[in-house]
Amino acid sequence: MSDQAVSLTSETPATTEAVGPRSAGVPDSVAAWEERYSGAESVWSGNPNEALVAAVGEMTPGRVLDVGCGEGADVIWLAEHGWDATGIDLSTTAVDRARRAADERGIDAAFAVADISDWEPENTDRRGGFDLVTGCFLHTRLPDTREELLARLAAHVAPGGALLLVSHATMPDWAAEHDEKFEHGMEHHHEPVSPNGDFALLIGASPDRWEIELAEIRTRPVTSPDGDPAELEDAVLLARRI
């Protein structure tokens, strides 16, 4: 998933976070994302992530899972292009908005409020059976590692299926120390990654075999919080389970 924002702060144009099991002393990430979506207006533009569109556009549609779907723009785009699309997100508010947006456009897509660390599809034949799993700008919350996150995503990919990751390759100057802290104290660590770095983590985390289909850095224009034009770099990895 990931919706592109018209104007950016230290957050990226796409949501959201995938996290591991709750642990003592770690602030509630559900509260963090409910805080993020607490305003009356949509957080994101409603447009699909351009890197996802470019990477997926030529694929044969099948079953797709979008982790951290936010307000649903990527899920809706995928469903419009023939995919049997499911989106999950930690935020009830975001998922409600995604369902409403899909209904308004007459789109048949499934959404669930869920944590990727323990989520399983209700339909048992979909467990480990998605032709494509997508994760755009996923945040790793300590004490989890990114490797653990990628292992959870990879577990939902069917044999022959693909995993698409779109991540920060660089951080904007206004994202001080690459962190954002919500009022209740939860910290997001914005750690720039590379496609090859993510692939190394993936093959270390997953017991299955993978090959790279696409590994590139993409640039996109954005608007800073001060209204100035800027350019960001995104790391794009498309890996196929073989």
Side-chain angles (χ1 to χ4, degrees), residues 47-115:
N47 298 321
N49 186 288
E50 293 180 2
L52 179 146
V53 171
V56 175
E58 299 302 317
M59 287 186 180
T60 300
R63 295 172 175 172
V64 59
L65 170 65
D66 184 31
V67 178
C69 67
E71 294 164 329
D74 286 354
V75 176
I76 291 170
W77 183 88
L78 287 160
E80 286 178 331
H81 288 78
W83 291 84
D84 181 355
T86 298
I88 66 171
D89 198 280
L90 292 171
S91 168
T92 299
T93 301
V95 169
D96 286 345
R97 291 177 180 177
R99 287 172 174 151
R100 186 162 55 249
D103 288 344
E104 289 173 353
R105 293 168 67 165
I107 299 300
D108 183 14
F111 295 95
V113 178
D115 186 327

Short mmCIF file of all heavy atoms in Angstrom, two decimals, residues 47-115:
data_model
loop_
_atom_site.label_atom_id
_atom_site.label_comp_id
_atom_site.label_asym_id
_atom_site.label_seq_id
_atom_site.Cartn_x
_atom_site.Cartn_y
_atom_site.Cartn_z
N ASN A 47 -3.83 8.74 -3.93
CA ASN A 47 -3.18 8.22 -5.13
C ASN A 47 -2.29 7.03 -4.78
O ASN A 47 -1.67 7.01 -3.71
CB ASN A 47 -2.31 9.30 -5.77
CG ASN A 47 -3.13 10.50 -6.21
OD1 ASN A 47 -4.23 10.35 -6.71
ND2 ASN A 47 -2.58 11.69 -6.00
N PRO A 48 -2.19 6.05 -5.66
CA PRO A 48 -1.32 4.91 -5.38
C PRO A 48 0.15 5.30 -5.43
O PRO A 48 0.52 6.29 -6.08
CB PRO A 48 -1.67 3.92 -6.49
CG PRO A 48 -2.13 4.79 -7.63
CD PRO A 48 -2.87 5.93 -6.98
N ASN A 49 0.97 4.52 -4.77
CA ASN A 49 2.41 4.76 -4.78
C ASN A 49 2.95 4.54 -6.20
O ASN A 49 2.74 3.47 -6.79
CB ASN A 49 3.08 3.80 -3.79
CG ASN A 49 4.54 4.06 -3.62
OD1 ASN A 49 5.32 3.78 -4.51
ND2 ASN A 49 4.91 4.59 -2.47
N GLU A 50 3.68 5.51 -6.72
CA GLU A 50 4.15 5.43 -8.10
C GLU A 50 5.12 4.27 -8.31
O GLU A 50 5.13 3.65 -9.37
CB GLU A 50 4.79 6.75 -8.51
CG GLU A 50 3.80 7.90 -8.60
CD GLU A 50 4.46 9.19 -8.99
OE1 GLU A 50 5.69 9.19 -9.25
OE2 GLU A 50 3.77 10.23 -9.06
N ALA A 51 5.95 4.00 -7.31
CA ALA A 51 6.90 2.89 -7.44
C ALA A 51 6.16 1.56 -7.50
O ALA A 51 6.55 0.65 -8.26
CB ALA A 51 7.89 2.90 -6.28
N LEU A 52 5.10 1.42 -6.73
CA LEU A 52 4.30 0.20 -6.78
C LEU A 52 3.65 0.05 -8.15
O LEU A 52 3.67 -1.05 -8.74
CB LEU A 52 3.25 0.22 -5.67
CG LEU A 52 2.31 -0.99 -5.59
CD1 LEU A 52 1.96 -1.29 -4.14
CD2 LEU A 52 1.02 -0.76 -6.38
N VAL A 53 3.08 1.11 -8.65
CA VAL A 53 2.41 1.05 -9.96
C VAL A 53 3.40 0.63 -11.04
O VAL A 53 3.10 -0.22 -11.89
CB VAL A 53 1.79 2.42 -10.29
CG1 VAL A 53 1.29 2.44 -11.73
CG2 VAL A 53 0.64 2.73 -9.33
N ALA A 54 4.61 1.20 -10.99
CA ALA A 54 5.61 0.88 -12.00
C ALA A 54 6.07 -0.57 -11.89
O ALA A 54 6.28 -1.25 -12.91
CB ALA A 54 6.81 1.82 -11.87
N ALA A 55 6.23 -1.07 -10.68
CA ALA A 55 6.75 -2.42 -10.47
C ALA A 55 5.72 -3.49 -10.76
O ALA A 55 6.06 -4.59 -11.21
CB ALA A 55 7.28 -2.56 -9.05
N VAL A 56 4.46 -3.21 -10.48
CA VAL A 56 3.41 -4.23 -10.54
C VAL A 56 2.62 -4.18 -11.84
O VAL A 56 1.95 -5.13 -12.20
CB VAL A 56 2.47 -4.04 -9.32
CG1 VAL A 56 1.28 -4.98 -9.37
CG2 VAL A 56 3.24 -4.26 -8.03
N GLY A 57 2.73 -3.08 -12.55
CA GLY A 57 1.85 -2.84 -13.70
C GLY A 57 1.84 -3.94 -14.74
O GLY A 57 0.80 -4.18 -15.37
N GLU A 58 2.96 -4.62 -14.94
CA GLU A 58 3.03 -5.66 -15.98
C GLU A 58 2.81 -7.07 -15.43
O GLU A 58 2.86 -8.05 -16.19
CB GLU A 58 4.38 -5.59 -16.68
CG GLU A 58 4.66 -4.28 -17.39
CD GLU A 58 3.61 -3.95 -18.43
OE1 GLU A 58 3.21 -4.88 -19.18
OE2 GLU A 58 3.19 -2.79 -18.50
N MET A 59 2.56 -7.19 -14.12
CA MET A 59 2.35 -8.51 -13.53
C MET A 59 0.97 -9.06 -13.86
O MET A 59 0.02 -8.30 -14.05
CB MET A 59 2.48 -8.44 -12.01
CG MET A 59 3.87 -8.27 -11.50
SD MET A 59 3.86 -8.39 -9.68
CE MET A 59 5.60 -8.15 -9.34
N THR A 60 0.89 -10.39 -13.91
CA THR A 60 -0.41 -11.04 -14.02
C THR A 60 -1.10 -10.96 -12.67
O THR A 60 -0.53 -11.39 -11.66
CB THR A 60 -0.25 -12.51 -14.43
OG1 THR A 60 0.42 -12.57 -15.69
CG2 THR A 60 -1.62 -13.19 -14.53
N PRO A 61 -2.30 -10.41 -12.60
CA PRO A 61 -2.98 -10.26 -11.31
C PRO A 61 -3.25 -11.59 -10.64
O PRO A 61 -3.48 -12.61 -11.29
CB PRO A 61 -4.29 -9.55 -11.67
CG PRO A 61 -4.00 -8.85 -12.95
CD PRO A 61 -3.07 -9.77 -13.69
N GLY A 62 -3.20 -11.57 -9.32
CA GLY A 62 -3.52 -12.73 -8.50
C GLY A 62 -3.94 -12.25 -7.13
O GLY A 62 -4.61 -11.21 -7.02
N ARG A 63 -3.55 -12.95 -6.11
CA ARG A 63 -3.87 -12.54 -4.75
C ARG A 63 -2.77 -11.64 -4.21
O ARG A 63 -1.58 -12.01 -4.29
CB ARG A 63 -4.03 -13.76 -3.84
CG ARG A 63 -5.20 -14.66 -4.21
CD ARG A 63 -5.14 -15.93 -3.39
NE ARG A 63 -6.32 -16.78 -3.62
CZ ARG A 63 -6.46 -18.00 -3.14
NH1 ARG A 63 -5.50 -18.53 -2.39
NH2 ARG A 63 -7.55 -18.69 -3.40
N VAL A 64 -3.14 -10.52 -3.65
CA VAL A 64 -2.14 -9.58 -3.14
C VAL A 64 -2.50 -9.15 -1.73
O VAL A 64 -3.67 -8.94 -1.40
CB VAL A 64 -2.00 -8.34 -4.06
CG1 VAL A 64 -3.32 -7.59 -4.21
CG2 VAL A 64 -0.92 -7.41 -3.54
N LEU A 65 -1.48 -9.04 -0.89
CA LEU A 65 -1.62 -8.54 0.47
C LEU A 65 -0.79 -7.27 0.59
O LEU A 65 0.42 -7.28 0.33
CB LEU A 65 -1.11 -9.57 1.47
CG LEU A 65 -0.98 -9.10 2.94
CD1 LEU A 65 -2.36 -8.76 3.52
CD2 LEU A 65 -0.27 -10.15 3.78
N ASP A 66 -1.44 -6.17 0.98
CA ASP A 66 -0.74 -4.91 1.22
C ASP A 66 -0.65 -4.69 2.72
O ASP A 66 -1.67 -4.51 3.40
CB ASP A 66 -1.50 -3.75 0.56
CG ASP A 66 -0.77 -2.43 0.70
OD1 ASP A 66 0.48 -2.46 0.74
OD2 ASP A 66 -1.43 -1.38 0.76
N VAL A 67 0.56 -4.72 3.25
CA VAL A 67 0.79 -4.58 4.69
C VAL A 67 1.02 -3.11 5.02
O VAL A 67 1.90 -2.47 4.44
CB VAL A 67 2.00 -5.43 5.13
CG1 VAL A 67 2.26 -5.24 6.62
CG2 VAL A 67 1.75 -6.90 4.82
N GLY A 68 0.24 -2.60 5.97
CA GLY A 68 0.29 -1.18 6.28
C GLY A 68 -0.44 -0.39 5.21
O GLY A 68 0.09 0.56 4.63
N CYS A 69 -1.69 -0.77 4.96
CA CYS A 69 -2.43 -0.22 3.81
C CYS A 69 -2.90 1.20 4.02
O CYS A 69 -3.33 1.85 3.07
CB CYS A 69 -3.61 -1.12 3.48
SG CYS A 69 -4.92 -1.14 4.74
N GLY A 70 -2.86 1.71 5.26
CA GLY A 70 -3.31 3.07 5.49
C GLY A 70 -4.74 3.28 5.03
O GLY A 70 -5.63 2.47 5.31
N GLU A 71 -4.96 4.34 4.28
CA GLU A 71 -6.29 4.68 3.80
C GLU A 71 -6.66 3.98 2.50
O GLU A 71 -7.69 4.28 1.89
CB GLU A 71 -6.40 6.20 3.67
CG GLU A 71 -6.33 6.88 5.03
CD GLU A 71 -6.04 8.36 4.97
OE1 GLU A 71 -5.34 8.80 4.03
OE2 GLU A 71 -6.50 9.10 5.86
N GLY A 72 -5.82 3.04 2.07
CA GLY A 72 -6.23 2.08 1.05
C GLY A 72 -5.96 2.38 -0.40
O GLY A 72 -6.40 1.63 -1.27
N ALA A 73 -5.20 3.42 -0.72
CA ALA A 73 -5.02 3.79 -2.12
C ALA A 73 -4.39 2.69 -2.95
O ALA A 73 -4.81 2.42 -4.08
CB ALA A 73 -4.20 5.07 -2.23
N ASP A 74 -3.36 2.03 -2.42
CA ASP A 74 -2.70 0.98 -3.19
C ASP A 74 -3.61 -0.23 -3.36
O ASP A 74 -3.66 -0.84 -4.43
CB ASP A 74 -1.40 0.56 -2.50
CG ASP A 74 -0.29 1.59 -2.64
OD1 ASP A 74 -0.49 2.57 -3.37
OD2 ASP A 74 0.76 1.41 -2.00
N VAL A 75 -4.32 -0.60 -2.30
CA VAL A 75 -5.23 -1.74 -2.38
C VAL A 75 -6.31 -1.47 -3.43
O VAL A 75 -6.64 -2.34 -4.24
CB VAL A 75 -5.87 -2.02 -1.01
CG1 VAL A 75 -6.91 -3.14 -1.12
CG2 VAL A 75 -4.81 -2.39 0.02
N ILE A 76 -6.86 -0.28 -3.42
CA ILE A 76 -7.90 0.07 -4.38
C ILE A 76 -7.36 0.03 -5.80
O ILE A 76 -8.00 -0.52 -6.72
CB ILE A 76 -8.49 1.46 -4.04
CG1 ILE A 76 -9.28 1.36 -2.73
CG2 ILE A 76 -9.36 1.98 -5.18
CD1 ILE A 76 -9.71 2.71 -2.18
N TRP A 77 -6.16 0.58 -6.00
CA TRP A 77 -5.57 0.55 -7.35
C TRP A 77 -5.35 -0.89 -7.80
O TRP A 77 -5.65 -1.24 -8.95
CB TRP A 77 -4.25 1.31 -7.36
CG TRP A 77 -3.62 1.38 -8.71
CD1 TRP A 77 -3.83 2.32 -9.67
CD2 TRP A 77 -2.69 0.42 -9.27
NE1 TRP A 77 -3.09 2.03 -10.79
CE2 TRP A 77 -2.39 0.87 -10.58
CE3 TRP A 77 -2.11 -0.75 -8.80
CZ2 TRP A 77 -1.51 0.18 -11.41
CZ3 TRP A 77 -1.24 -1.45 -9.63
CH2 TRP A 77 -0.94 -0.98 -10.92
N LEU A 78 -4.83 -1.71 -6.92
CA LEU A 78 -4.59 -3.11 -7.28
C LEU A 78 -5.90 -3.83 -7.63
O LEU A 78 -5.97 -4.57 -8.62
CB LEU A 78 -3.89 -3.82 -6.12
CG LEU A 78 -2.42 -3.43 -5.91
CD1 LEU A 78 -1.96 -3.78 -4.50
CD2 LEU A 78 -1.53 -4.12 -6.94
N ALA A 79 -6.94 -3.59 -6.83
CA ALA A 79 -8.23 -4.22 -7.11
C ALA A 79 -8.80 -3.74 -8.43
O ALA A 79 -9.39 -4.52 -9.19
CB ALA A 79 -9.20 -3.94 -5.96
N GLU A 80 -8.63 -2.47 -8.72
CA GLU A 80 -9.11 -1.92 -10.00
C GLU A 80 -8.39 -2.56 -11.18
O GLU A 80 -8.92 -2.56 -12.30
CB GLU A 80 -8.91 -0.41 -10.02
CG GLU A 80 -9.88 0.36 -9.15
CD GLU A 80 -9.62 1.85 -9.15
OE1 GLU A 80 -8.44 2.25 -9.33
OE2 GLU A 80 -10.57 2.62 -8.95
N HIS A 81 -7.19 -3.06 -10.94
CA HIS A 81 -6.40 -3.66 -12.03
C HIS A 81 -6.40 -5.18 -11.96
O HIS A 81 -5.49 -5.84 -12.47
CB HIS A 81 -4.98 -3.11 -11.99
CG HIS A 81 -4.91 -1.68 -12.45
ND1 HIS A 81 -5.28 -0.62 -11.64
CD2 HIS A 81 -4.55 -1.13 -13.65
CE1 HIS A 81 -5.14 0.52 -12.31
NE2 HIS A 81 -4.71 0.23 -13.52
N GLY A 82 -7.45 -5.73 -11.37
CA GLY A 82 -7.69 -7.17 -11.47
C GLY A 82 -7.17 -8.02 -10.34
O GLY A 82 -7.37 -9.24 -10.36
N TRP A 83 -6.54 -7.42 -9.35
CA TRP A 83 -6.00 -8.20 -8.24
C TRP A 83 -7.08 -8.51 -7.22
O TRP A 83 -7.98 -7.71 -6.98
CB TRP A 83 -4.87 -7.43 -7.56
CG TRP A 83 -3.63 -7.30 -8.37
CD1 TRP A 83 -3.37 -6.37 -9.33
CD2 TRP A 83 -2.48 -8.15 -8.32
NE1 TRP A 83 -2.14 -6.57 -9.88
CE2 TRP A 83 -1.56 -7.66 -9.28
CE3 TRP A 83 -2.14 -9.26 -7.56
CZ2 TRP A 83 -0.31 -8.25 -9.49
CZ3 TRP A 83 -0.90 -9.86 -7.77
CH2 TRP A 83 0.00 -9.36 -8.72
N ASP A 84 -6.98 -9.67 -6.61
CA ASP A 84 -7.80 -10.05 -5.46
C ASP A 84 -7.07 -9.48 -4.25
O ASP A 84 -6.14 -10.08 -3.72
CB ASP A 84 -7.90 -11.58 -5.38
CG ASP A 84 -8.76 -12.06 -4.23
OD1 ASP A 84 -9.22 -11.22 -3.43
OD2 ASP A 84 -8.95 -13.28 -4.10
N ALA A 85 -7.47 -8.28 -3.83
CA ALA A 85 -6.64 -7.46 -2.95
C ALA A 85 -7.12 -7.45 -1.51
O ALA A 85 -8.31 -7.29 -1.23
CB ALA A 85 -6.58 -6.03 -3.48
N THR A 86 -6.15 -7.59 -0.60
CA THR A 86 -6.39 -7.50 0.84
C THR A 86 -5.41 -6.49 1.43
O THR A 86 -4.22 -6.51 1.08
CB THR A 86 -6.17 -8.86 1.53
OG1 THR A 86 -7.10 -9.82 1.01
CG2 THR A 86 -6.36 -8.75 3.04
N GLY A 87 -5.91 -5.64 2.31
CA GLY A 87 -5.04 -4.68 2.99
C GLY A 87 -5.21 -4.79 4.50
O GLY A 87 -6.33 -4.97 4.98
N ILE A 88 -4.10 -4.71 5.23
CA ILE A 88 -4.18 -4.72 6.69
C ILE A 88 -3.43 -3.50 7.23
O ILE A 88 -2.46 -3.02 6.64
CB ILE A 88 -3.62 -6.01 7.31
CG1 ILE A 88 -2.11 -6.14 7.08
CG2 ILE A 88 -4.36 -7.22 6.79
CD1 ILE A 88 -1.47 -7.29 7.84
N ASP A 89 -3.92 -3.01 8.36
CA ASP A 89 -3.27 -1.87 9.01
C ASP A 89 -3.59 -1.90 10.50
O ASP A 89 -4.62 -2.46 10.91
CB ASP A 89 -3.77 -0.55 8.40
CG ASP A 89 -2.85 0.61 8.71
OD1 ASP A 89 -2.93 1.18 9.83
OD2 ASP A 89 -2.03 0.96 7.83
N LEU A 90 -2.72 -1.30 11.30
CA LEU A 90 -2.93 -1.25 12.74
C LEU A 90 -4.05 -0.31 13.14
O LEU A 90 -4.66 -0.47 14.19
CB LEU A 90 -1.64 -0.79 13.43
CG LEU A 90 -0.44 -1.73 13.38
CD1 LEU A 90 0.79 -1.02 13.92
CD2 LEU A 90 -0.72 -2.99 14.18
N SER A 91 -4.32 0.70 12.32
CA SER A 91 -5.26 1.75 12.69
C SER A 91 -6.69 1.44 12.25
O SER A 91 -6.96 1.26 11.05
CB SER A 91 -4.83 3.08 12.07
OG SER A 91 -5.84 4.05 12.19
N THR A 92 -7.60 1.40 13.21
CA THR A 92 -9.02 1.22 12.88
C THR A 92 -9.53 2.36 12.03
O THR A 92 -10.29 2.16 11.07
CB THR A 92 -9.85 1.11 14.17
OG1 THR A 92 -9.41 -0.02 14.93
CG2 THR A 92 -11.33 0.96 13.87
N THR A 93 -9.12 3.57 12.35
CA THR A 93 -9.57 4.75 11.59
C THR A 93 -9.11 4.66 10.15
O THR A 93 -9.88 4.93 9.22
CB THR A 93 -9.04 6.04 12.24
OG1 THR A 93 -9.51 6.12 13.57
CG2 THR A 93 -9.50 7.26 11.46
N ALA A 94 -7.86 4.28 9.93
CA ALA A 94 -7.34 4.18 8.57
C ALA A 94 -8.10 3.11 7.79
O ALA A 94 -8.47 3.32 6.62
CB ALA A 94 -5.86 3.85 8.60
N VAL A 95 -8.34 1.97 8.41
CA VAL A 95 -9.04 0.88 7.73
C VAL A 95 -10.49 1.28 7.43
O VAL A 95 -11.02 0.97 6.35
CB VAL A 95 -8.97 -0.41 8.56
CG1 VAL A 95 -9.92 -1.47 8.01
CG2 VAL A 95 -7.54 -0.95 8.57
N ASP A 96 -11.13 1.98 8.34
CA ASP A 96 -12.49 2.47 8.08
C ASP A 96 -12.50 3.39 6.86
O ASP A 96 -13.40 3.31 6.00
CB ASP A 96 -13.03 3.21 9.29
CG ASP A 96 -13.43 2.29 10.43
OD1 ASP A 96 -13.55 1.07 10.19
OD2 ASP A 96 -13.61 2.79 11.55
N ARG A 97 -11.50 4.26 6.77
CA ARG A 97 -11.42 5.17 5.62
C ARG A 97 -11.15 4.39 4.34
O ARG A 97 -11.69 4.72 3.28
CB ARG A 97 -10.33 6.21 5.85
CG ARG A 97 -10.66 7.21 6.94
CD ARG A 97 -9.51 8.18 7.19
NE ARG A 97 -9.84 9.13 8.24
CZ ARG A 97 -8.99 10.05 8.69
NH1 ARG A 97 -7.77 10.13 8.20
NH2 ARG A 97 -9.37 10.88 9.65
N ALA A 98 -10.31 3.36 4.42
CA ALA A 98 -10.02 2.55 3.24
C ALA A 98 -11.27 1.84 2.75
O ALA A 98 -11.56 1.81 1.54
CB ALA A 98 -8.93 1.53 3.58
N ARG A 99 -12.02 1.26 3.67
CA ARG A 99 -13.26 0.57 3.28
C ARG A 99 -14.25 1.56 2.65
O ARG A 99 -14.90 1.24 1.65
CB ARG A 99 -13.89 -0.08 4.50
CG ARG A 99 -13.16 -1.33 4.99
CD ARG A 99 -13.71 -1.83 6.30
NE ARG A 99 -13.10 -3.10 6.71
CZ ARG A 99 -12.96 -3.48 7.96
NH1 ARG A 99 -13.41 -2.71 8.94
NH2 ARG A 99 -12.40 -4.63 8.25
N ARG A 100 -14.35 2.74 3.26
CA ARG A 100 -15.27 3.74 2.72
C ARG A 100 -14.85 4.17 1.32
O ARG A 100 -15.69 4.32 0.41
CB ARG A 100 -15.34 4.93 3.67
CG ARG A 100 -16.39 5.98 3.28
CD ARG A 100 -16.72 6.89 4.45
NE ARG A 100 -15.53 7.53 5.00
CZ ARG A 100 -15.02 7.26 6.20
NH1 ARG A 100 -15.58 6.33 6.97
NH2 ARG A 100 -13.96 7.89 6.66
N ALA A 101 -13.56 4.39 1.12
CA ALA A 101 -13.07 4.80 -0.19
C ALA A 101 -13.33 3.72 -1.24
O ALA A 101 -13.72 4.02 -2.37
CB ALA A 101 -11.57 5.11 -0.11
N ALA A 102 -13.13 2.47 -0.87
CA ALA A 102 -13.40 1.37 -1.80
C ALA A 102 -14.88 1.28 -2.13
O ALA A 102 -15.25 1.10 -3.30
CB ALA A 102 -12.90 0.05 -1.20
N ASP A 103 -15.72 1.42 -1.12
CA ASP A 103 -17.17 1.37 -1.35
C ASP A 103 -17.62 2.49 -2.26
O ASP A 103 -18.45 2.28 -3.15
CB ASP A 103 -17.91 1.45 -0.01
CG ASP A 103 -17.78 0.17 0.81
OD1 ASP A 103 -17.39 -0.86 0.24
OD2 ASP A 103 -18.08 0.23 2.02
N GLU A 104 -17.08 3.68 -2.07
CA GLU A 104 -17.47 4.83 -2.88
C GLU A 104 -17.13 4.64 -4.35
O GLU A 104 -17.78 5.19 -5.23
CB GLU A 104 -16.80 6.10 -2.34
CG GLU A 104 -17.37 6.57 -1.01
CD GLU A 104 -16.58 7.72 -0.40
OE1 GLU A 104 -15.50 8.06 -0.96
OE2 GLU A 104 -17.03 8.28 0.62
N ARG A 105 -16.09 3.83 -4.60
CA ARG A 105 -15.67 3.59 -5.98
C ARG A 105 -16.16 2.25 -6.51
O ARG A 105 -15.83 1.85 -7.62
CB ARG A 105 -14.15 3.68 -6.08
CG ARG A 105 -13.67 5.09 -5.83
CD ARG A 105 -12.18 5.22 -5.64
NE ARG A 105 -11.41 4.91 -6.84
CZ ARG A 105 -10.13 5.24 -6.99
NH1 ARG A 105 -9.50 5.87 -6.00
NH2 ARG A 105 -9.49 4.93 -8.09
N GLY A 106 -16.97 1.56 -5.70
CA GLY A 106 -17.51 0.29 -6.13
C GLY A 106 -16.46 -0.80 -6.27
O GLY A 106 -16.60 -1.70 -7.11
N ILE A 107 -15.43 -0.73 -5.43
CA ILE A 107 -14.31 -1.67 -5.51
C ILE A 107 -14.49 -2.80 -4.50
O ILE A 107 -14.80 -2.56 -3.34
CB ILE A 107 -12.97 -0.95 -5.25
CG1 ILE A 107 -12.74 0.15 -6.29
CG2 ILE A 107 -11.82 -1.93 -5.21
CD1 ILE A 107 -12.69 -0.36 -7.71
N ASP A 108 -14.28 -4.01 -4.96
CA ASP A 108 -14.36 -5.18 -4.09
C ASP A 108 -12.96 -5.49 -3.58
O ASP A 108 -12.11 -6.01 -4.30
CB ASP A 108 -14.91 -6.38 -4.87
CG ASP A 108 -15.09 -7.60 -3.97
OD1 ASP A 108 -15.03 -7.46 -2.74
OD2 ASP A 108 -15.27 -8.71 -4.53
N ALA A 109 -12.69 -5.11 -2.34
CA ALA A 109 -11.39 -5.37 -1.71
C ALA A 109 -11.63 -5.66 -0.24
O ALA A 109 -12.62 -5.19 0.35
CB ALA A 109 -10.47 -4.16 -1.87
N ALA A 110 -10.73 -6.42 0.35
CA ALA A 110 -10.86 -6.79 1.76
C ALA A 110 -9.88 -5.99 2.60
O ALA A 110 -8.74 -5.76 2.19
CB ALA A 110 -10.59 -8.28 1.94
N PHE A 111 -10.35 -5.56 3.77
CA PHE A 111 -9.50 -4.82 4.70
C PHE A 111 -9.67 -5.40 6.09
O PHE A 111 -10.75 -5.87 6.45
CB PHE A 111 -9.87 -3.34 4.72
CG PHE A 111 -9.62 -2.63 3.42
CD1 PHE A 111 -10.64 -2.47 2.48
CD2 PHE A 111 -8.36 -2.12 3.13
CE1 PHE A 111 -10.41 -1.82 1.29
CE2 PHE A 111 -8.13 -1.46 1.93
CZ PHE A 111 -9.14 -1.31 1.01
N ALA A 112 -8.59 -5.35 6.87
CA ALA A 112 -8.64 -5.84 8.24
C ALA A 112 -7.74 -4.99 9.12
O ALA A 112 -6.67 -4.56 8.70
CB ALA A 112 -8.21 -7.30 8.32
N VAL A 113 -8.19 -4.77 10.36
CA VAL A 113 -7.35 -4.14 11.37
C VAL A 113 -6.50 -5.25 11.97
O VAL A 113 -7.03 -6.19 12.59
CB VAL A 113 -8.20 -3.46 12.46
CG1 VAL A 113 -7.30 -2.84 13.53
CG2 VAL A 113 -9.10 -2.40 11.84
N ALA A 114 -5.20 -5.20 11.76
CA ALA A 114 -4.35 -6.33 12.15
C ALA A 114 -2.91 -5.91 12.27
O ALA A 114 -2.47 -4.90 11.71
CB ALA A 114 -4.48 -7.45 11.13
N ASP A 115 -2.16 -6.72 13.01
CA ASP A 115 -0.72 -6.58 13.20
C ASP A 115 -0.05 -7.72 12.42
O ASP A 115 -0.40 -8.89 12.62
CB ASP A 115 -0.42 -6.69 14.70
CG ASP A 115 1.03 -6.41 15.04
OD1 ASP A 115 1.92 -6.75 14.22
OD2 ASP A 115 1.28 -5.88 16.14
#
